[in-house]
Every structure is written in C-alpha cells, then in structure tokens.
Amino acid sequence: MKLHQKLKNKFIGVVILITTLFLASCDFTPPINRKIIDAQNYITEQKYNKAAFLYEDILKSNPGPELRLKICYQLGELYSIYLGEYKKSVYYYNEVKDLTEDPLWLIKTEEKLAEINFNYRKNYKDAIKNYVKLSEFTPKLKKYDYFQLQIALSYYYLNNTDEAIKQLTKIQTDTNHEYFVRSFYYLGLIYFEKKDFNKALFVWSEYLKRETKKEYIVQAKFLVANIYESTENLKMAYDIYYSIANDYPNPDVIQNRLSALYERRVSRRR
C-alpha cells in the first residue's frame, strides 16, 4: 500500500507537467487540444475512467508518434496507479517501448512493468524478464543492485529455489553490494522452507553477525527460535523468544510461544 500511495503522489506531481509538454511540444488540432485539457481536468477531479476514455479516444485519431508515446505512457500510469487495471497498464507501457528507442523512456517504462509484474500481477516470470533487461543497460543503472535482488526473489516466489540460491550467492560475491547483507536472510529463508535447518541456522548466524537493523534482527531471530522449537531444543528456543519479547511486532505471539515452551519443558521433567 505504501508503494501504491507513493506512486499516486508522484503521478499527481507530474501529470500537469506532462500535459504542459503535450501543449508545448506537439502541433495538434484544436479538438485534440481540447480533449487533452478535458482529460487533465478529469484527472484533477479524480474522474480517472473518463480521463482514460478521452486519451484512448485521442489514440483512435492516429496522432503523431510523439503525442502517441506520451498518451500511452499517461494511460499506463492511469491504469496502474488509479484504476488498478494492470493488464491494460502493461499493454500501454509496452506500446511506449514499441514507439521509442530513447533510453530514458525505455528505462522508466521497464521499471514500471517490472514493479507491476512483481508487486501486483505476481507475474514473476515476466518480472524476471523486466529486471534482466534493466540489469543489462550499459552503463549500469543506479538501481542495478536492486534489480539483481528482485531477480533472485522472483525465482524464489516461482519456487525455483536452485536458481534463487544461485542468484543470491552471486550477490554474496560482492561485499559492496547494496543487498549483500540482506541476501543472507533470504538464503536462510530458502533453506528454512526446504527444512534444511542446519544450513538455515548457519546462514542466519552469518546474517545476524552483519545485520544492524533492529526489525530485521528480530525477524531472523524469531525464525531461528522456530527452528530450535521444531527440533526439540526447547531451552534454546525459549531463550531466543524471550530475548525478542519486547521488540516483536505481535507480543502475544511471543508470549504464547513462551508459555507453550514452558509447559513442554515442565512436562519433560515429570
């Protein structure tokens, strides 16, 4: 939801600028000019369906390539940010890619497609294609490290654990990688879900040596405690749960775990 709101706020800030560019850089007939202004007014009034309808109507009149490109991008924004119609937004963003070879347009459009496919459509196969394209731009883009992590996570969500492990391991070859530390968490999570608890514990011990963010430390320790609980190392599990009792987002969960572990340890002594 935070990502969605951030996109909305950004869109509101740029929509007037885009409309100004329409008016300043394109030579259109008065009817098209009027429709663009009306579409802008509909956006201001939060009548996004009507704005989309008008933009699509303009496309039917076969405008020039520059105007067509800008309208397609605008429609991609409308359908993804305001209308939640991601299939249509993907269609129009792909239209933008077909209309230009300008790297700036291609990069921002590919980023939009990647985030839609990953976050909203859960289409991880296409997300991988988008992130791979972004990672292949020369020179490397500023968010190159992020694209690499997203490729790994996409494989993880596709249950292709071998490829996810390969991608995370690649990240770990570069200690300066922005997600070098965080990659250990995800690698441990894969082993945890495979029930390879020894490897999970080893990787997470390496992760906890490096992680500095409190919420991430608590998150990892909870899972470590879960392993010890599952493998009947009740004292170790109890001690770790207890150590994060004041920091875990849902204190009741920790208290329930502690109570259950206490009862199990008492029963063992009987």
Side-chain angles (χ1 to χ4, degrees):
M1 289 302 293
K2 288 182 179 179
L3 174 62
H4 199 65
Q5 188 60 47
K6 183 178 178 182
L7 288 171
K8 279 190 175 183
N9 293 339
K10 184 176 180 181
F11 183 69
I12 292 169
V14 301
V15 70
I16 295 174
L17 175 60
I18 292 176
T19 302
T20 302
L21 289 174
F22 286 158
L23 298 171
S25 64
C26 304
D27 180 19
F28 20 66
T29 61
I32 294 179
N33 189 350
R34 182 69 256 169
K35 285 181 180 180
I36 289 174
I37 293 172
D38 288 344
Q40 164 61 32
N41 289 335
Y42 281 136
I43 291 171
T44 303
E45 296 166 5
Q46 300 183 12
K47 297 176 181 178
Y48 306 118
N49 277 308
K50 289 187 175 183
F53 176 83
L54 271 183
Y55 281 132
E56 289 179 332
D57 193 52
I58 294 169
L59 291 180
K60 291 176 185 177
S61 65
N62 295 317
E66 184 178 1
L67 178 57
R68 186 175 191 85
L69 181 147
K70 291 173 181 177
I71 290 175
C72 285
Y73 187 83
Q74 191 88 318
L75 281 165
E77 298 282 89
L78 278 168
Y79 280 122
S80 63
I81 298 170
Y82 286 101
L83 298 173
E85 295 187 44
Y86 300 112
K87 186 175 181 180
K88 285 186 176 181
S89 69
V90 166
Y91 171 81
Y92 283 111
Y93 284 135
N94 279 322
E95 284 288 293
V96 172
K97 290 168 61 178
D98 290 339
L99 288 165
T100 184
E101 294 182 0
D102 185 331
L104 293 178
W105 279 106
L106 294 176
I107 289 167
K108 66 180 179 179
T109 302
E110 203 72 56
E111 285 186 322
K112 295 282 187 179
L113 288 167
E115 295 304 300
I116 288 170
N117 283 323
F118 186 91
N119 290 310
Y120 301 112
R121 300 184 76 199
K122 311 300 181 186
N123 185 342
Y124 301 113
K125 287 184 179 179
D126 282 354
I128 289 169
K129 294 176 185 177
N130 300 136
Y131 287 122
V132 167
K133 285 183 181 179
L134 288 164
S135 67
E136 289 175 345
F137 274 92
T138 304
K140 286 183 180 180
L141 299 176
K142 185 177 180 180
K143 295 171 65 178
Y144 175 83
D145 288 359
Y146 172 75
F147 302 145
Q148 279 197 310
L149 178 67
Q150 292 299 92
I151 291 169
L153 294 182
S154 295
Y155 280 117
Y156 166 71
Y157 288 123
L158 286 170
N159 293 317
N160 188 341
T161 55
D162 288 343
E163 190 61 35
I165 290 170
K166 178 181 174 181
Q167 296 296 326
L168 290 168
T169 303
K170 186 189 298 184
I171 290 172
Q172 290 172 6
T173 62
D174 178 9
T175 57
N176 294 318
H177 197 287
E178 184 178 354
Y179 298 96
F180 171 75
V181 174
R182 191 62 175 161
S183 68
F184 284 89
Y185 170 78
Y186 290 116
L187 187 58
L189 189 62
I190 290 172
Y191 289 130
F192 174 79
E193 293 180 357
K194 288 164 68 76
K195 298 191 183 302
D196 192 340
F197 294 142
N198 287 334
K199 283 186 179 179
L201 286 173
F202 173 77
V203 173
W204 277 334
S205 69
E206 293 300 308
Y207 173 62
L208 289 168
K209 290 176 186 176
R210 297 171 170 85
E211 185 56 81
T212 58
K213 294 181 179 178
K214 189 174 184 178
E215 66 271 25
Y216 288 168
I217 292 171
V218 170
Q219 180 185 42
K221 283 187 174 181
F222 178 85
L223 293 171
V224 169
N226 191 278
I227 289 177
Y228 285 123
E229 183 179 1
S230 300
T231 55
E232 296 298 314
N233 191 335
L234 303 185
K235 184 180 185 307
M236 184 69 77
Y238 186 94
D239 289 345
I240 296 173
Y241 282 134
Y242 186 82
S243 73
I244 62 174
N246 294 327
D247 301 312
Y248 195 73
N250 190 340
D252 290 341
V253 170
I254 300 297
Q255 290 305 318
N256 290 337
R257 293 290 178 99
L258 290 172
S259 297
L261 284 168
Y262 178 79
E263 292 297 326
R264 288 171 66 183
R265 292 176 69 189
V266 170
S267 297
R268 278 186 175 183
R269 297 192 189 106
R270 290 173 184 166

